[in-house]
Amino acid sequence: SLDRNSSFISAADLEAMREDTKGEFEGIGVSIKPDADGNITVFHPLPNSPAAEAGIKAFDRILAIDGKDTKGMTTAEAADLIKGRKGTFVTLSIGRKPKDAPEDAALETLELKVRRDKVPLESVKEAQMLKGSIGYLRVSDFKDNTAADLAKRMQEFMDAGMKGLVLDLRWNPGGLLTASKDTCELFLPKGALVT
Protein backbone atom coordinates (compact mmCIF):
# COMPACT_ATOMS: atom_id res chain seq x y z
CA SER A 1 0.00 0.00 0.00
CA LEU A 2 3.05 2.30 0.00
CA ASP A 3 3.46 4.93 -2.72
CA ARG A 4 6.55 4.99 -4.98
CA ASN A 5 8.32 7.50 -2.68
CA SER A 6 7.98 5.28 0.40
CA SER A 7 9.59 2.02 1.46
CA PHE A 8 9.52 -0.32 4.44
CA ILE A 9 12.70 -0.63 6.50
CA SER A 10 13.49 -3.03 9.33
CA ALA A 11 14.14 -1.94 12.93
CA ALA A 12 17.90 -2.54 12.48
CA ASP A 13 17.97 -0.47 9.28
CA LEU A 14 15.99 2.31 10.99
CA GLU A 15 18.53 2.41 13.83
CA ALA A 16 21.40 2.61 11.31
CA MET A 17 19.61 5.42 9.43
CA ARG A 18 19.00 7.34 12.67
CA GLU A 19 22.67 6.98 13.57
CA ASP A 20 23.72 8.28 10.15
CA THR A 21 21.36 11.28 10.14
CA LYS A 22 22.03 12.20 13.79
CA GLY A 23 25.36 13.61 12.71
CA GLU A 24 27.42 11.53 15.14
CA PHE A 25 27.91 7.97 16.35
CA GLU A 26 29.97 6.14 18.95
CA GLY A 27 32.87 4.19 17.49
CA ILE A 28 36.36 4.82 16.12
CA GLY A 29 35.55 6.80 12.95
CA VAL A 30 36.70 4.53 10.17
CA SER A 31 35.04 3.86 6.83
CA ILE A 32 35.47 0.25 5.66
CA LYS A 33 34.81 -1.65 2.44
CA PRO A 34 35.65 -5.06 0.98
CA ASP A 35 38.59 -5.20 -1.43
CA ALA A 36 38.55 -7.23 -4.68
CA ASP A 37 39.20 -10.43 -2.69
CA GLY A 38 36.54 -9.69 -0.05
CA ASN A 39 39.00 -8.63 2.67
CA ILE A 40 37.78 -5.94 5.08
CA THR A 41 39.79 -2.86 4.14
CA VAL A 42 39.95 0.70 5.46
CA PHE A 43 38.52 3.11 2.90
CA HIS A 44 39.58 6.08 5.02
CA PRO A 45 39.74 7.11 8.67
CA LEU A 46 37.69 10.24 9.41
CA PRO A 47 39.91 13.27 10.17
CA ASN A 48 40.64 13.75 13.91
CA SER A 49 38.85 10.49 14.74
CA PRO A 50 40.14 7.92 17.26
CA ALA A 51 41.08 5.70 14.27
CA ALA A 52 43.19 8.47 12.69
CA GLU A 53 44.84 9.30 16.02
CA ALA A 54 45.68 5.60 16.57
CA GLY A 55 47.52 5.57 13.23
CA ILE A 56 45.02 3.66 11.08
CA LYS A 57 45.50 4.52 7.40
CA ALA A 58 43.59 4.15 4.15
CA PHE A 59 44.15 0.72 2.49
CA ASP A 60 44.98 -0.96 5.82
CA ARG A 61 43.49 -4.46 5.86
CA ILE A 62 41.59 -5.38 9.05
CA LEU A 63 42.65 -8.97 9.76
CA ALA A 64 40.93 -9.40 13.13
CA ILE A 65 38.68 -7.45 15.51
CA ASP A 66 39.23 -8.23 19.22
CA GLY A 67 40.89 -11.49 18.12
CA LYS A 68 38.04 -12.52 15.79
CA ASP A 69 39.26 -13.29 12.26
CA THR A 70 37.51 -11.13 9.62
CA LYS A 71 37.86 -13.71 6.81
CA GLY A 72 34.40 -14.25 5.31
CA MET A 73 32.92 -11.41 7.37
CA THR A 74 30.66 -8.78 5.75
CA THR A 75 31.39 -5.06 6.24
CA ALA A 76 28.16 -4.79 8.28
CA GLU A 77 29.32 -7.59 10.62
CA ALA A 78 32.75 -5.97 10.95
CA ALA A 79 31.22 -2.54 11.61
CA ASP A 80 29.02 -4.00 14.38
CA LEU A 81 32.13 -5.38 16.12
CA ILE A 82 34.13 -2.16 15.69
CA LYS A 83 31.40 0.19 16.96
CA GLY A 84 30.68 0.44 20.65
CA ARG A 85 30.10 2.67 23.63
CA LYS A 86 32.28 5.72 24.15
CA GLY A 87 35.19 4.97 26.49
CA THR A 88 35.43 1.27 25.60
CA PHE A 89 38.29 -0.18 23.55
CA VAL A 90 38.56 -2.32 20.43
CA THR A 91 41.75 -4.07 19.32
CA LEU A 92 42.33 -4.29 15.58
CA SER A 93 44.88 -6.54 13.90
CA ILE A 94 45.96 -4.53 10.88
CA GLY A 95 47.80 -5.76 7.79
CA ARG A 96 49.71 -2.97 6.07
CA LYS A 97 51.91 -3.01 2.98
CA PRO A 98 55.39 -1.71 3.89
CA LYS A 99 56.21 1.67 2.37
CA ASP A 100 57.83 1.45 -1.09
CA ALA A 101 57.48 -2.37 -1.01
CA PRO A 102 56.79 -4.30 -4.23
CA GLU A 103 53.17 -5.19 -5.04
CA ASP A 104 53.56 -8.82 -3.92
CA ALA A 105 55.33 -8.01 -0.61
CA ALA A 106 53.97 -9.60 2.56
CA LEU A 107 51.86 -7.37 4.82
CA GLU A 108 53.28 -6.05 8.08
CA THR A 109 50.98 -6.92 10.99
CA LEU A 110 50.16 -4.32 13.66
CA GLU A 111 48.00 -4.59 16.77
CA LEU A 112 46.22 -1.30 17.49
CA LYS A 113 44.07 -0.73 20.57
CA VAL A 114 41.63 2.09 19.83
CA ARG A 115 39.45 3.91 22.36
CA ARG A 116 35.92 4.46 21.08
CA ASP A 117 34.45 7.95 21.28
CA LYS A 118 31.70 10.13 19.85
CA VAL A 119 32.54 10.66 16.18
CA PRO A 120 30.93 13.55 14.28
CA LEU A 121 29.65 12.79 10.78
CA GLU A 122 30.12 15.79 8.54
CA SER A 123 27.75 16.42 5.65
CA VAL A 124 29.72 19.44 4.37
CA LYS A 125 32.37 17.45 2.49
CA GLU A 126 34.18 20.30 0.72
CA ALA A 127 34.53 23.98 1.57
CA GLN A 128 36.86 26.33 -0.28
CA MET A 129 37.13 29.83 -1.64
CA LEU A 130 37.44 29.85 -5.44
CA LYS A 131 38.89 32.57 -7.68
CA GLY A 132 36.93 35.80 -7.63
CA SER A 133 35.94 35.37 -3.96
CA ILE A 134 33.35 32.69 -4.80
CA GLY A 135 32.63 30.30 -1.95
CA TYR A 136 32.19 26.61 -2.79
CA LEU A 137 30.39 24.18 -0.46
CA ARG A 138 29.55 20.55 -1.23
CA VAL A 139 26.81 18.95 0.87
CA SER A 140 26.80 15.13 0.74
CA ASP A 141 23.46 14.64 2.53
CA PHE A 142 21.13 16.28 5.05
CA LYS A 143 21.83 15.42 8.71
CA ASP A 144 20.80 17.10 11.98
CA ASN A 145 24.00 19.19 11.94
CA THR A 146 24.02 20.18 8.22
CA ALA A 147 22.45 23.65 8.54
CA ALA A 148 24.67 24.61 11.49
CA ASP A 149 27.80 23.39 9.67
CA LEU A 150 26.80 25.28 6.50
CA ALA A 151 26.05 28.48 8.44
CA LYS A 152 29.46 28.32 10.13
CA ARG A 153 31.30 27.82 6.82
CA MET A 154 29.32 30.59 5.09
CA GLN A 155 30.10 33.01 7.93
CA GLU A 156 33.82 32.20 7.54
CA PHE A 157 33.53 32.89 3.80
CA MET A 158 31.60 36.16 4.37
CA ASP A 159 34.25 37.29 6.87
CA ALA A 160 36.83 36.57 4.13
CA GLY A 161 34.94 38.76 1.60
CA MET A 162 32.85 36.20 -0.30
CA LYS A 163 30.98 37.73 -3.29
CA GLY A 164 29.05 34.65 -4.42
CA LEU A 165 28.41 31.05 -3.44
CA VAL A 166 28.21 27.70 -5.23
CA LEU A 167 26.18 25.18 -3.21
CA ASP A 168 26.97 21.79 -4.73
CA LEU A 169 24.24 19.18 -4.13
CA ARG A 170 25.36 16.71 -6.81
CA TRP A 171 25.29 13.07 -5.67
CA ASN A 172 23.29 14.12 -2.59
CA PRO A 173 20.73 11.35 -1.97
CA GLY A 174 18.69 13.41 0.55
CA GLY A 175 18.35 12.79 4.26
CA LEU A 176 16.20 14.43 6.93
CA LEU A 177 13.39 16.69 5.74
CA THR A 178 13.85 18.89 8.84
CA ALA A 179 17.56 19.29 8.03
CA SER A 180 16.85 20.24 4.41
CA LYS A 181 14.24 22.77 5.61
CA ASP A 182 16.73 24.29 8.07
CA THR A 183 19.29 24.48 5.25
CA CYS A 184 16.77 26.22 2.94
CA GLU A 185 16.07 28.77 5.68
CA LEU A 186 19.71 29.90 5.45
CA PHE A 187 18.83 31.20 1.96
CA LEU A 188 15.06 31.80 2.07
CA PRO A 189 12.82 33.76 4.44
CA LYS A 190 12.06 31.86 7.68
CA GLY A 191 8.89 29.79 7.39
CA ALA A 192 8.98 29.77 3.57
CA LEU A 193 7.19 26.77 2.08
CA VAL A 194 9.74 24.14 1.03
CA THR A 195 8.46 21.25 -1.10
Side-chain angles (χ1 to χ4, degrees), residues 68-101:
K68 188 169 184 180
D69 192 338
T70 60
K71 196 156 190 67
M73 205 180 272
T74 67
T75 52
E77 290 166 339
D80 283 344
L81 292 174
I82 293 169
K83 287 180 191 170
R85 276 191 350 268
K86 175 182 175 179
T88 60
F89 289 87
V90 62
T91 301
L92 300 179
S93 298
I94 297 290
R96 180 178 296 164
K97 193 169 289 186
K99 193 173 180 176
D100 301 322

PDB file of all heavy atoms in Angstrom, residues 68-101:
ATOM      1  N   LYS A  68      38.928 -11.762  16.684  1.00  0.00           N
ATOM      2  CA  LYS A  68      38.038 -12.519  15.793  1.00  0.00           C
ATOM      3  C   LYS A  68      38.447 -12.276  14.347  1.00  0.00           C
ATOM      4  O   LYS A  68      38.435 -11.143  13.875  1.00  0.00           O
ATOM      5  CB  LYS A  68      36.582 -12.084  16.031  1.00  0.00           C
ATOM      6  CG  LYS A  68      35.591 -12.939  15.294  1.00  0.00           C
ATOM      7  CD  LYS A  68      34.173 -12.654  15.748  1.00  0.00           C
ATOM      8  CE  LYS A  68      33.221 -13.604  15.045  1.00  0.00           C
ATOM      9  NZ  LYS A  68      31.849 -13.394  15.423  1.00  0.00           N
ATOM     10  N   ASP A  69      38.809 -13.350  13.650  1.00  0.00           N
ATOM     11  CA  ASP A  69      39.256 -13.289  12.260  1.00  0.00           C
ATOM     12  C   ASP A  69      38.147 -12.707  11.373  1.00  0.00           C
ATOM     13  O   ASP A  69      36.984 -13.091  11.494  1.00  0.00           O
ATOM     14  CB  ASP A  69      39.605 -14.713  11.797  1.00  0.00           C
ATOM     15  CG  ASP A  69      40.351 -14.740  10.472  1.00  0.00           C
ATOM     16  OD1 ASP A  69      40.257 -13.767   9.704  1.00  0.00           O
ATOM     17  OD2 ASP A  69      41.025 -15.746  10.199  1.00  0.00           O
ATOM     18  N   THR A  70      38.506 -11.780  10.484  1.00  0.00           N
ATOM     19  CA  THR A  70      37.510 -11.134   9.621  1.00  0.00           C
ATOM     20  C   THR A  70      37.297 -11.870   8.296  1.00  0.00           C
ATOM     21  O   THR A  70      36.472 -11.438   7.488  1.00  0.00           O
ATOM     22  CB  THR A  70      37.910  -9.671   9.313  1.00  0.00           C
ATOM     23  OG1 THR A  70      39.180  -9.670   8.651  1.00  0.00           O
ATOM     24  CG2 THR A  70      37.958  -8.822  10.572  1.00  0.00           C
ATOM     25  N   LYS A  71      38.014 -12.961   8.066  1.00  0.00           N
ATOM     26  CA  LYS A  71      37.860 -13.710   6.810  1.00  0.00           C
ATOM     27  C   LYS A  71      36.416 -14.196   6.683  1.00  0.00           C
ATOM     28  O   LYS A  71      35.864 -14.802   7.586  1.00  0.00           O
ATOM     29  CB  LYS A  71      38.825 -14.885   6.767  1.00  0.00           C
ATOM     30  CG  LYS A  71      38.999 -15.466   5.384  1.00  0.00           C
ATOM     31  CD  LYS A  71      40.336 -16.178   5.279  1.00  0.00           C
ATOM     32  CE  LYS A  71      40.666 -16.574   3.863  1.00  0.00           C
ATOM     33  NZ  LYS A  71      40.914 -15.465   2.977  1.00  0.00           N
ATOM     34  N   GLY A  72      35.787 -13.861   5.558  1.00  0.00           N
ATOM     35  CA  GLY A  72      34.399 -14.254   5.314  1.00  0.00           C
ATOM     36  C   GLY A  72      33.367 -13.346   5.964  1.00  0.00           C
ATOM     37  O   GLY A  72      32.158 -13.543   5.816  1.00  0.00           O
ATOM     38  N   MET A  73      33.821 -12.330   6.681  1.00  0.00           N
ATOM     39  CA  MET A  73      32.923 -11.405   7.375  1.00  0.00           C
ATOM     40  C   MET A  73      32.422 -10.329   6.409  1.00  0.00           C
ATOM     41  O   MET A  73      33.156  -9.903   5.526  1.00  0.00           O
ATOM     42  CB  MET A  73      33.715 -10.742   8.517  1.00  0.00           C
ATOM     43  CG  MET A  73      32.896 -10.248   9.665  1.00  0.00           C
ATOM     44  SD  MET A  73      33.979  -9.498  10.948  1.00  0.00           S
ATOM     45  CE  MET A  73      34.382 -10.905  11.950  1.00  0.00           C
ATOM     46  N   THR A  74      31.167  -9.894   6.552  1.00  0.00           N
ATOM     47  CA  THR A  74      30.657  -8.775   5.754  1.00  0.00           C
ATOM     48  C   THR A  74      31.093  -7.470   6.403  1.00  0.00           C
ATOM     49  O   THR A  74      31.466  -7.450   7.588  1.00  0.00           O
ATOM     50  CB  THR A  74      29.118  -8.789   5.670  1.00  0.00           C
ATOM     51  OG1 THR A  74      28.583  -8.535   6.982  1.00  0.00           O
ATOM     52  CG2 THR A  74      28.584 -10.115   5.127  1.00  0.00           C
ATOM     53  N   THR A  75      31.030  -6.363   5.653  1.00  0.00           N
ATOM     54  CA  THR A  75      31.390  -5.064   6.242  1.00  0.00           C
ATOM     55  C   THR A  75      30.422  -4.701   7.370  1.00  0.00           C
ATOM     56  O   THR A  75      30.823  -4.108   8.364  1.00  0.00           O
ATOM     57  CB  THR A  75      31.410  -3.941   5.185  1.00  0.00           C
ATOM     58  OG1 THR A  75      30.185  -3.955   4.469  1.00  0.00           O
ATOM     59  CG2 THR A  75      32.570  -4.089   4.236  1.00  0.00           C
ATOM     60  N   ALA A  76      29.146  -5.084   7.229  1.00  0.00           N
ATOM     61  CA  ALA A  76      28.156  -4.789   8.285  1.00  0.00           C
ATOM     62  C   ALA A  76      28.516  -5.537   9.568  1.00  0.00           C
ATOM     63  O   ALA A  76      28.441  -4.967  10.672  1.00  0.00           O
ATOM     64  CB  ALA A  76      26.754  -5.170   7.824  1.00  0.00           C
ATOM     65  N   GLU A  77      28.924  -6.810   9.445  1.00  0.00           N
ATOM     66  CA  GLU A  77      29.321  -7.587  10.625  1.00  0.00           C
ATOM     67  C   GLU A  77      30.571  -6.993  11.267  1.00  0.00           C
ATOM     68  O   GLU A  77      30.653  -6.881  12.502  1.00  0.00           O
ATOM     69  CB  GLU A  77      29.575  -9.045  10.224  1.00  0.00           C
ATOM     70  CG  GLU A  77      28.318  -9.808   9.854  1.00  0.00           C
ATOM     71  CD  GLU A  77      28.589 -11.127   9.149  1.00  0.00           C
ATOM     72  OE1 GLU A  77      29.702 -11.307   8.582  1.00  0.00           O
ATOM     73  OE2 GLU A  77      27.698 -11.984   9.152  1.00  0.00           O
ATOM     74  N   ALA A  78      31.521  -6.579  10.433  1.00  0.00           N
ATOM     75  CA  ALA A  78      32.752  -5.970  10.955  1.00  0.00           C
ATOM     76  C   ALA A  78      32.436  -4.646  11.648  1.00  0.00           C
ATOM     77  O   ALA A  78      32.944  -4.373  12.742  1.00  0.00           O
ATOM     78  CB  ALA A  78      33.751  -5.752   9.829  1.00  0.00           C
ATOM     79  N   ALA A  79      31.586  -3.837  11.032  1.00  0.00           N
ATOM     80  CA  ALA A  79      31.217  -2.537  11.614  1.00  0.00           C
ATOM     81  C   ALA A  79      30.550  -2.720  12.971  1.00  0.00           C
ATOM     82  O   ALA A  79      30.815  -1.969  13.914  1.00  0.00           O
ATOM     83  CB  ALA A  79      30.302  -1.773  10.667  1.00  0.00           C
ATOM     84  N   ASP A  80      29.690  -3.745  13.099  1.00  0.00           N
ATOM     85  CA  ASP A  80      29.017  -4.003  14.384  1.00  0.00           C
ATOM     86  C   ASP A  80      30.024  -4.330  15.476  1.00  0.00           C
ATOM     87  O   ASP A  80      29.837  -3.948  16.632  1.00  0.00           O
ATOM     88  CB  ASP A  80      28.017  -5.155  14.241  1.00  0.00           C
ATOM     89  CG  ASP A  80      26.731  -4.730  13.537  1.00  0.00           C
ATOM     90  OD1 ASP A  80      26.484  -3.504  13.429  1.00  0.00           O
ATOM     91  OD2 ASP A  80      25.982  -5.618  13.088  1.00  0.00           O
ATOM     92  N   LEU A  81      31.102  -5.038  15.123  1.00  0.00           N
ATOM     93  CA  LEU A  81      32.127  -5.380  16.120  1.00  0.00           C
ATOM     94  C   LEU A  81      33.015  -4.183  16.456  1.00  0.00           C
ATOM     95  O   LEU A  81      33.487  -4.057  17.586  1.00  0.00           O
ATOM     96  CB  LEU A  81      33.007  -6.528  15.595  1.00  0.00           C
ATOM     97  CG  LEU A  81      32.327  -7.888  15.443  1.00  0.00           C
ATOM     98  CD1 LEU A  81      33.282  -8.878  14.777  1.00  0.00           C
ATOM     99  CD2 LEU A  81      31.866  -8.425  16.796  1.00  0.00           C
ATOM    100  N   ILE A  82      33.246  -3.312  15.470  1.00  0.00           N
ATOM    101  CA  ILE A  82      34.132  -2.156  15.690  1.00  0.00           C
ATOM    102  C   ILE A  82      33.432  -1.068  16.503  1.00  0.00           C
ATOM    103  O   ILE A  82      34.036  -0.451  17.373  1.00  0.00           O
ATOM    104  CB  ILE A  82      34.634  -1.596  14.341  1.00  0.00           C
ATOM    105  CG1 ILE A  82      35.564  -2.608  13.661  1.00  0.00           C
ATOM    106  CG2 ILE A  82      35.362  -0.273  14.529  1.00  0.00           C
ATOM    107  CD1 ILE A  82      35.910  -2.273  12.218  1.00  0.00           C
ATOM    108  N   LYS A  83      32.143  -0.841  16.217  1.00  0.00           N
ATOM    109  CA  LYS A  83      31.401   0.190  16.958  1.00  0.00           C
ATOM    110  C   LYS A  83      31.204  -0.233  18.406  1.00  0.00           C
ATOM    111  O   LYS A  83      31.255  -1.418  18.723  1.00  0.00           O
ATOM    112  CB  LYS A  83      30.012   0.392  16.330  1.00  0.00           C
ATOM    113  CG  LYS A  83      30.028   1.105  15.009  1.00  0.00           C
ATOM    114  CD  LYS A  83      28.605   1.231  14.498  1.00  0.00           C
ATOM    115  CE  LYS A  83      28.559   1.682  13.070  1.00  0.00           C
ATOM    116  NZ  LYS A  83      27.216   1.589  12.512  1.00  0.00           N
ATOM    117  N   GLY A  84      30.939   0.746  19.251  1.00  0.00           N
ATOM    118  CA  GLY A  84      30.682   0.441  20.653  1.00  0.00           C
ATOM    119  C   GLY A  84      30.599   1.703  21.468  1.00  0.00           C
ATOM    120  O   GLY A  84      30.790   2.803  20.956  1.00  0.00           O
ATOM    121  N   ARG A  85      30.293   1.532  22.741  1.00  0.00           N
ATOM    122  CA  ARG A  85      30.097   2.672  23.630  1.00  0.00           C
ATOM    123  C   ARG A  85      31.367   3.489  23.802  1.00  0.00           C
ATOM    124  O   ARG A  85      32.475   2.943  23.875  1.00  0.00           O
ATOM    125  CB  ARG A  85      29.623   2.193  25.000  1.00  0.00           C
ATOM    126  CG  ARG A  85      28.136   1.959  25.096  1.00  0.00           C
ATOM    127  CD  ARG A  85      27.615   1.734  26.515  1.00  0.00           C
ATOM    128  NE  ARG A  85      28.628   1.558  27.533  1.00  0.00           N
ATOM    129  CZ  ARG A  85      29.103   0.364  27.896  1.00  0.00           C
ATOM    130  NH1 ARG A  85      28.707  -0.734  27.329  1.00  0.00           N
ATOM    131  NH2 ARG A  85      30.012   0.302  28.852  1.00  0.00           N
ATOM    132  N   LYS A  86      31.179   4.780  23.888  1.00  0.00           N
ATOM    133  CA  LYS A  86      32.276   5.725  24.152  1.00  0.00           C
ATOM    134  C   LYS A  86      33.024   5.291  25.415  1.00  0.00           C
ATOM    135  O   LYS A  86      32.413   4.917  26.418  1.00  0.00           O
ATOM    136  CB  LYS A  86      31.660   7.118  24.349  1.00  0.00           C
ATOM    137  CG  LYS A  86      32.639   8.184  24.751  1.00  0.00           C
ATOM    138  CD  LYS A  86      31.934   9.509  24.963  1.00  0.00           C
ATOM    139  CE  LYS A  86      32.900  10.554  25.476  1.00  0.00           C
ATOM    140  NZ  LYS A  86      32.276  11.849  25.671  1.00  0.00           N
ATOM    141  N   GLY A  87      34.355   5.320  25.332  1.00  0.00           N
ATOM    142  CA  GLY A  87      35.185   4.967  26.492  1.00  0.00           C
ATOM    143  C   GLY A  87      35.631   3.521  26.501  1.00  0.00           C
ATOM    144  O   GLY A  87      36.548   3.163  27.239  1.00  0.00           O
ATOM    145  N   THR A  88      34.994   2.663  25.686  1.00  0.00           N
ATOM    146  CA  THR A  88      35.433   1.274  25.599  1.00  0.00           C
ATOM    147  C   THR A  88      36.519   1.164  24.529  1.00  0.00           C
ATOM    148  O   THR A  88      36.734   2.091  23.753  1.00  0.00           O
ATOM    149  CB  THR A  88      34.254   0.333  25.265  1.00  0.00           C
ATOM    150  OG1 THR A  88      33.690   0.713  24.003  1.00  0.00           O
ATOM    151  CG2 THR A  88      33.173   0.398  26.343  1.00  0.00           C
ATOM    152  N   PHE A  89      37.187   0.018  24.490  1.00  0.00           N
ATOM    153  CA  PHE A  89      38.291  -0.178  23.549  1.00  0.00           C
ATOM    154  C   PHE A  89      38.003  -1.320  22.584  1.00  0.00           C
ATOM    155  O   PHE A  89      37.290  -2.253  22.925  1.00  0.00           O
ATOM    156  CB  PHE A  89      39.589  -0.488  24.309  1.00  0.00           C
ATOM    157  CG  PHE A  89      40.158   0.690  25.040  1.00  0.00           C
ATOM    158  CD1 PHE A  89      39.732   0.989  26.327  1.00  0.00           C
ATOM    159  CD2 PHE A  89      41.118   1.502  24.451  1.00  0.00           C
ATOM    160  CE1 PHE A  89      40.252   2.088  27.012  1.00  0.00           C
ATOM    161  CE2 PHE A  89      41.644   2.594  25.128  1.00  0.00           C
ATOM    162  CZ  PHE A  89      41.204   2.889  26.412  1.00  0.00           C
ATOM    163  N   VAL A  90      38.581  -1.229  21.400  1.00  0.00           N
ATOM    164  CA  VAL A  90      38.562  -2.317  20.426  1.00  0.00           C
ATOM    165  C   VAL A  90      39.997  -2.510  19.935  1.00  0.00           C
ATOM    166  O   VAL A  90      40.717  -1.531  19.731  1.00  0.00           O
ATOM    167  CB  VAL A  90      37.591  -2.026  19.251  1.00  0.00           C
ATOM    168  CG1 VAL A  90      37.995  -0.795  18.462  1.00  0.00           C
ATOM    169  CG2 VAL A  90      37.464  -3.234  18.327  1.00  0.00           C
ATOM    170  N   THR A  91      40.406  -3.764  19.818  1.00  0.00           N
ATOM    171  CA  THR A  91      41.752  -4.069  19.320  1.00  0.00           C
ATOM    172  C   THR A  91      41.646  -4.583  17.894  1.00  0.00           C
ATOM    173  O   THR A  91      40.932  -5.555  17.626  1.00  0.00           O
ATOM    174  CB  THR A  91      42.447  -5.112  20.208  1.00  0.00           C
ATOM    175  OG1 THR A  91      42.524  -4.590  21.537  1.00  0.00           O
ATOM    176  CG2 THR A  91      43.858  -5.399  19.708  1.00  0.00           C
ATOM    177  N   LEU A  92      42.335  -3.916  16.986  1.00  0.00           N
ATOM    178  CA  LEU A  92      42.326  -4.291  15.577  1.00  0.00           C
ATOM    179  C   LEU A  92      43.683  -4.856  15.189  1.00  0.00           C
ATOM    180  O   LEU A  92      44.718  -4.261  15.500  1.00  0.00           O
ATOM    181  CB  LEU A  92      42.013  -3.084  14.694  1.00  0.00           C
ATOM    182  CG  LEU A  92      40.665  -2.377  14.927  1.00  0.00           C
ATOM    183  CD1 LEU A  92      40.534  -1.191  13.980  1.00  0.00           C
ATOM    184  CD2 LEU A  92      39.506  -3.334  14.744  1.00  0.00           C
ATOM    185  N   SER A  93      43.662  -6.002  14.520  1.00  0.00           N
ATOM    186  CA  SER A  93      44.878  -6.536  13.899  1.00  0.00           C
ATOM    187  C   SER A  93      44.884  -6.015  12.471  1.00  0.00           C
ATOM    188  O   SER A  93      43.964  -6.297  11.702  1.00  0.00           O
ATOM    189  CB  SER A  93      44.865  -8.066  13.894  1.00  0.00           C
ATOM    190  OG  SER A  93      44.834  -8.540  15.210  1.00  0.00           O
ATOM    191  N   ILE A  94      45.887  -5.226  12.168  1.00  0.00           N
ATOM    192  CA  ILE A  94      45.963  -4.526  10.884  1.00  0.00           C
ATOM    193  C   ILE A  94      47.082  -5.125  10.030  1.00  0.00           C
ATOM    194  O   ILE A  94      48.184  -5.347  10.516  1.00  0.00           O
ATOM    195  CB  ILE A  94      46.267  -3.022  11.123  1.00  0.00           C
ATOM    196  CG1 ILE A  94      45.149  -2.345  11.910  1.00  0.00           C
ATOM    197  CG2 ILE A  94      46.557  -2.291   9.817  1.00  0.00           C
ATOM    198  CD1 ILE A  94      43.854  -2.171  11.171  1.00  0.00           C
ATOM    199  N   GLY A  95      46.776  -5.361   8.757  1.00  0.00           N
ATOM    200  CA  GLY A  95      47.797  -5.759   7.794  1.00  0.00           C
ATOM    201  C   GLY A  95      48.084  -4.561   6.901  1.00  0.00           C
ATOM    202  O   GLY A  95      47.169  -3.979   6.322  1.00  0.00           O
ATOM    203  N   ARG A  96      49.347  -4.171   6.835  1.00  0.00           N
ATOM    204  CA  ARG A  96      49.712  -2.973   6.071  1.00  0.00           C
ATOM    205  C   ARG A  96      50.901  -3.283   5.163  1.00  0.00           C
ATOM    206  O   ARG A  96      51.865  -3.902   5.590  1.00  0.00           O
ATOM    207  CB  ARG A  96      50.073  -1.834   7.024  1.00  0.00           C
ATOM    208  CG  ARG A  96      50.476  -0.550   6.323  1.00  0.00           C
ATOM    209  CD  ARG A  96      50.767   0.549   7.339  1.00  0.00           C
ATOM    210  NE  ARG A  96      49.593   0.912   8.095  1.00  0.00           N
ATOM    211  CZ  ARG A  96      49.610   1.611   9.236  1.00  0.00           C
ATOM    212  NH1 ARG A  96      50.757   2.004   9.749  1.00  0.00           N
ATOM    213  NH2 ARG A  96      48.488   1.906   9.856  1.00  0.00           N
ATOM    214  N   LYS A  97      50.813  -2.838   3.922  1.00  0.00           N
ATOM    215  CA  LYS A  97      51.912  -3.015   2.980  1.00  0.00           C
ATOM    216  C   LYS A  97      53.043  -2.079   3.387  1.00  0.00           C
ATOM    217  O   LYS A  97      52.816  -0.885   3.589  1.00  0.00           O
ATOM    218  CB  LYS A  97      51.429  -2.699   1.564  1.00  0.00           C
ATOM    219  CG  LYS A  97      52.398  -3.145   0.495  1.00  0.00           C
ATOM    220  CD  LYS A  97      51.781  -3.061  -0.870  1.00  0.00           C
ATOM    221  CE  LYS A  97      50.730  -4.139  -1.025  1.00  0.00           C
ATOM    222  NZ  LYS A  97      50.177  -4.222  -2.360  1.00  0.00           N
ATOM    223  N   PRO A  98      54.265  -2.596   3.532  1.00  0.00           N
ATOM    224  CA  PRO A  98      55.387  -1.712   3.886  1.00  0.00           C
ATOM    225  C   PRO A  98      55.586  -0.627   2.833  1.00  0.00           C
ATOM    226  O   PRO A  98      55.352  -0.860   1.644  1.00  0.00           O
ATOM    227  CB  PRO A  98      56.589  -2.661   3.928  1.00  0.00           C
ATOM    228  CG  PRO A  98      56.008  -4.030   4.078  1.00  0.00           C
ATOM    229  CD  PRO A  98      54.675  -3.989   3.402  1.00  0.00           C
ATOM    230  N   LYS A  99      56.002   0.544   3.284  1.00  0.00           N
ATOM    231  CA  LYS A  99      56.207   1.672   2.370  1.00  0.00           C
ATOM    232  C   LYS A  99      57.255   1.315   1.305  1.00  0.00           C
ATOM    233  O   LYS A  99      58.286   0.734   1.620  1.00  0.00           O
ATOM    234  CB  LYS A  99      56.651   2.901   3.174  1.00  0.00           C
ATOM    235  CG  LYS A  99      56.577   4.179   2.384  1.00  0.00           C
ATOM    236  CD  LYS A  99      56.868   5.379   3.260  1.00  0.00           C
ATOM    237  CE  LYS A  99      56.784   6.622   2.415  1.00  0.00           C
ATOM    238  NZ  LYS A  99      56.958   7.828   3.142  1.00  0.00           N
ATOM    239  N   ASP A 100      56.947   1.691   0.063  1.00  0.00           N
ATOM    240  CA  ASP A 100      57.830   1.454  -1.087  1.00  0.00           C
ATOM    241  C   ASP A 100      58.124  -0.030  -1.336  1.00  0.00           C
ATOM    242  O   ASP A 100      59.102  -0.358  -2.002  1.00  0.00           O
ATOM    243  CB  ASP A 100      59.163   2.218  -0.931  1.00  0.00           C
ATOM    244  CG  ASP A 100      58.934   3.720  -0.798  1.00  0.00           C
ATOM    245  OD1 ASP A 100      58.027   4.239  -1.480  1.00  0.00           O
ATOM    246  OD2 ASP A 100      59.652   4.359  -0.005  1.00  0.00           O
ATOM    247  N   ALA A 101      57.281  -0.927  -0.792  1.00  0.00           N
ATOM    248  CA  ALA A 101      57.485  -2.366  -1.006  1.00  0.00           C
ATOM    249  C   ALA A 101      56.877  -2.773  -2.346  1.00  0.00           C
ATOM    250  O   ALA A 101      55.944  -2.126  -2.828  1.00  0.00           O
ATOM    251  CB  ALA A 101      56.840  -3.154   0.124  1.00  0.00           C
TER     252      ALA A 101
END
